[in-house]
Amino acid sequence: MSNATTNDTLAKARIAVLGYGSQGRAHALNLKDSGLDVVIGLRPGGPTWKKAEADGFAVVEPAEAVKGADLVAVLTPDMVQPTLYTDVIEPNIKPGAALLFAHGFNIHFGQIKPRADIDVILVAPKGPGALVRSEYERGRGVPCIWAVYQDVSGHAEATTKAYADGIGGGRAMLIQTDFKEETETDLFGEQAVLCGGASELVIAGFETLVEAGYQPEIAYYEVMHELKLIVDLFYEGGITRMLEFVSETAQYGDYVSGPRIVDAATKQRMKDVLTDIQDGTFAKNWTAEYKAGLPNYKKFKQADLDHPIEKVGKELRARMPWLQSGKQATPAAEPLKKVG
Ligand code: NAD
Ligand code: MG
């Protein structure tokens, strides 16, 4: 299978993909199906070695993969990348080769100081690995943002775009960014709105109802379960689509009560969170936490897992057969036929 690429910069290149998790597997399979030469670098005995081999790849130790490569894609967890760079990549990467990331964290915050004789580039698909793969298989792609941090070869931009094309991003949309913008906006989104903001909003809503004497089961449905309906509408057509689908009563309540929950003070605290990201406070604290063996992380995580909403949620979800099948319920594709 071949993929229409805007340039053939990588046509004769060997690409080493380090890490075979969510992004690594999707990138590697798409690049291979785009006709590119891909080798996987993994720790021997690591959890994904067999999977990569079963998918038809040559799998070697990271140092060996890096030695022969013209492009090294670093798709391991962010916190292991600095050591991986120092121990494996820096001593082995060819002068003039490209070092590619899917998140700018380590370069932007100086946790990795790349050698001066290599290109340093970024391609970040705006979706999880499973979608990057499934869209590619359908002949489509997931939009990617891309950036060049260091251009030694003189063709770093062409290399970056060829990689984005190879994983299918060029079939959808490529947006240029820089390492600073990608890193800071990604961290802000997950902290203030997606993971941090949304989960705290749900938990506070649940606690408010339960403390007022309402049943936890009813509270769960109202503030956690039904959030999916709203998020799906956002995803498909923004706030416009949500307003088209919810009742006039829900809309009026949104207009008068929403701004009482998220107000100017909330926005000010969002700005404070952004400042901590921009000035490196968050990166410094997170790196120290990781190096200390994650003591606070583990405590916070356990508190989330022990919250009453998790207990009631588990019981209620056990009665949602469409979740047990491992698939999302899909609306009936055609109207039900009448029997008789
Ligand atoms: P993951 O946790 O799903 O997979 C990590 C892989 O790295 C696994 O195969 C693991 O076995 C391997 N690994 C761990 N330590 C290693 C080491 N020392 N040497 C070699 N391999 C090692 O990670 P992911 O979510 O795919 O994230 C990879 C990168 O992609 C990160 O930079 C992340 O920020 C970025 N990213 C992720 C997503 C996403 O949706 N998950 C989206 C955009 C960007
Ligand atoms: Mg939380």
Side-chain angles (χ1 to χ4, degrees), residues 195-196 199-200 203 304:
C195 311
S199 66
E200 293 303 328
I203 287 172
D304 268 3

Side-chain angles (χ1 to χ4, degrees), residues 201 239 242-243 249-270:
L201 186 67
I239 289 170
M242 181 198 75
L243 295 177
T249 308
Q251 283 182 59
Y252 180 69
D254 164 349
Y255 304 141
V256 299
S257 298
R260 296 174 66 189
I261 304 301
V262 178
D263 61 9
T266 316
K267 194 166 160 191
Q268 182 53 52
R269 291 192 300 276
M270 284 188 170

Side-chain angles (χ1 to χ4, degrees), residues 8 11 16 46 63 74 77 79 84 88 99 103 106 131 168-169 176 202 208 262 304 317 339-340:
D8 60 0
V74 188
M79 287 295 116
L84 184 69
V88 172
L99 185 63
H103 182 29
N106 287 305
L131 189 70
Q176 187 172 9
V202 165
T208 302
V262 178
D304 268 3
R317 289 190 300 270
V339 180

Side-chain angles (χ1 to χ4, degrees), residues 2 67 77 123 172 203 334:
S2 84
K67 270 179 201 158
V123 173
I203 287 172
E334 30 179 69

Side-chain angles (χ1 to χ4, degrees), residues 123-126 132 142-146 164 167-170 172-176:
V123 173
K126 290 288 97 185
V132 171
V142 170
C144 292
I145 63 176
W146 66 273
I167 64 170
M173 185 184 193
L174 303 181
I175 303 174
Q176 187 172 9

Side-chain angles (χ1 to χ4, degrees), residues 147-309:
V148 172
Y149 178 82
Q150 190 165 285
D151 181 6
V152 172
S153 68
H155 54 71
E157 179 173 332
T159 304
T160 313
K161 287 181 176 166
Y163 185 96
D165 283 343
I167 64 170
R171 296 165 171 179
M173 185 184 193
L174 303 181
I175 303 174
Q176 187 172 9
T177 183
D178 56 41
F179 276 59
K180 173 178 157 55
E181 182 177 61
E182 187 280 331
T183 303
E184 293 175 353
T185 56
D186 186 85
L187 292 172
F188 177 80
E190 68 198 18
Q191 292 178 26
V193 179
L194 307 177
C195 311
S199 66
E200 293 303 328
L201 186 67
V202 165
I203 287 172
F206 178 83
E207 289 176 352
T208 302
L209 287 176
V210 173
E211 285 163 19
Y214 299 101
Q215 298 179 68
E217 291 79 5
I218 306 285
Y220 178 89
Y221 273 112
E222 292 308 327
V223 305
M224 172 82 97
H225 183 84
E226 291 188 20
L227 189 58
K228 176 173 175 14
L229 308 177
I230 300 304
V231 170
D232 283 351
L233 293 168
F234 284 171
Y235 188 77
E236 289 162 16
I239 289 170
T240 304
R241 187 156 172 90
M242 181 198 75
L243 295 177
E244 281 165 14
F245 275 81
V246 303
S247 70
E248 286 165 337
T249 308
Q251 283 182 59
Y252 180 69
D254 164 349
Y255 304 141
V256 299
S257 298
R260 296 174 66 189
I261 304 301
V262 178
D263 61 9
T266 316
K267 194 166 160 191
Q268 182 53 52
R269 291 192 300 276
M270 284 188 170
K271 289 182 180 177
D272 296 343
V273 166
L274 182 58
T275 301
D276 279 359
I277 292 168
Q278 290 169 328
D279 70 14
T281 301
F282 173 79
K284 190 180 86 201
N285 292 344
W286 171 219
T287 306
E289 171 73 12
Y290 187 82
K291 284 188 179 150
L294 302 170
N296 296 299
Y297 171 100
K298 285 178 186 159
K299 258 185 279 167
F300 293 141
K301 186 164 184 168
Q302 198 56 48
D304 268 3
L305 297 176
D306 290 342
H307 193 278
I309 198 171

Side-chain angles (χ1 to χ4, degrees), residues 19-23 43 47-48 75-78 80-81 84 102-103 125 127-128:
Y20 203 70
S22 171
Q23 292 293 324
R43 294 160 299 171
T48 45
L75 299 174
T76 65
D78 293 304
V80 312
Q81 291 177 9
L84 184 69
H103 182 29

